[in-house]
Amino acid sequence: MRLTVVDGDITTQQVDAVVNAANRRMRGGLGVDGAIHAAGGPEVLEDCKRRFPDGLATGAAGWTTGGRLPARWVIHVVGPNYAAGERDRSLLTSCYSGALAVADELGARTVAFPLVSAGVYGWPREDAMRAAVETLRTTPTAVEEARIVAFGRAAYDEIAAVVGA
């Protein structure tokens, strides 16, 4: 699998699936979650309600339609909330390995990822980057390209340094 980094907006990526850093309720939220729901339109929320009436557990992954996004699917993962005391790193890495497993089930060959839990959930950024890169590089998958989408040049430079290391 090819691991790449781009500076851009995850909602505009021309990929088979985008990964959403969702909350347990699966009803939209802030940050990446809010952006994906806004760009994907009401179809994403309706599919979340239908597929996940009780939400999704921390560390778990599931999919919905991409709605109005360029991507066909949204793979939702619920990262651990470090700021609220959820500090088990395996919950964070399971978001990435679980997303790849879902992508394989769907037949997705290109997948765009955000840095899960590194925003409002407060996971230390350096470790969030290492967890993403290590897990994406070591998880067996049929995905051909895993793309980490950085929002802004500074974030791109940080992530690219970890990918290149």
Side-chain angles (χ1 to χ4, degrees):
M1 176 189 56
R2 185 172 72 253
L3 179 58
T4 61
V5 182
V6 298
D7 176 3
D9 179 343
I10 199 162
T11 67
T12 63
Q13 298 301 303
Q14 299 288 327
V15 292
D16 297 327
V18 296
V19 175
N20 179 24
N23 60 54
R24 281 190 215 92
R25 289 189 56 245
M26 300 290 292
R27 300 298 182 262
L30 303 172
V32 170
D33 194 18
I36 285 175
H37 276 268
E43 299 90 343
V44 176
L45 179 58
E46 290 308 312
D47 211 12
C48 280
K49 289 177 180 176
R50 186 174 62 78
R51 291 179 180 277
F52 309 104
D54 299 319
L56 200 59
T58 301
W63 67 274
T64 64
T65 178
R68 299 175 188 165
L69 294 166
R72 182 172 178 189
W73 300 289
V74 176
I75 300 173
H76 303 267
V77 299
V78 179
N81 188 335
Y82 191 92
E86 293 178 333
R87 299 188 176 179
D88 181 349
R89 193 174 194 257
S90 69
L91 291 172
L92 178 59
T93 59
S94 72
C95 290
Y96 293 98
S97 59
L100 290 173
V102 170
D104 286 343
E105 290 172 19
L106 294 169
R109 295 296 172 253
T110 54
V111 182
F113 288 83
L115 273 183
V116 177
S117 292
V120 296
Y121 279 9
W123 199 275
R125 192 166 181 78
E126 184 68 31
D127 190 52
M129 291 185 289
R130 282 195 317 272
V133 171
E134 292 165 8
T135 306
L136 292 171
R137 282 195 170 139
T138 60
T139 302
T141 183
V143 169
E144 295 166 4
E145 180 190 9
R147 180 182 305 173
I148 300 175
V149 181
F151 192 68
R153 186 63 193 201
Y156 171 85
D157 290 342
E158 287 179 305
I159 298 166
V162 173
V163 169

